[in-house]
Amino acid sequence: TPGDTDVQVDIGTIAALGGQVTVSFLVTVPDPLAPGVEFLTNQAVVSCNELAPTPSDDPDTAARGDTTVTPVS
C-alpha cells in the first residue's frame, strides 16, 4: 500500500538446528526522488518467543547489526 513503511511477516515455526527462512519484498521508489535524497536504508528486526528482538545486518560491512544502505544518486 502506498505510504506503508513497515512490513510484518508471520513465518510460523522454523525447524530447529539450522532451519532457515528467506523473506523478500519489492519496493517502488519515486522518480524523481526528493531533492537531497542520496540513499535508501533498510533494516529488519527478527523477533520470537525464545530470543530478544535481533536487527538484520548489512552483509557488505564489517559492523554487526547495521542498517543496509543503498546509494541511489
Side-chain angles (χ1 to χ4, degrees), residues 32-69:
L33 290 170
V37 174
E38 298 177 357
F39 55 87
L40 302 176
T41 62
N42 179 60
Q43 186 163 39
V45 176
V46 177
S47 61
C48 66
N49 294 333
E50 293 80 15
L51 302 171
T54 304
S56 61
D57 179 52
D58 183 345
D60 294 331
T61 69
R64 296 180 65 155
D66 62 327
T67 301
T68 300
V69 178

Side-chain angles (χ1 to χ4, degrees), residues 7-35:
V7 176
Q8 183 173 346
V9 179
D10 182 354
I11 57 171
T13 302
I14 301 174
L17 301 174
Q20 296 181 344
V21 172
T22 300
V23 176
S24 300
F25 59 94
L26 297 174
V27 175
T28 301
V29 178
D31 184 19
L33 290 170

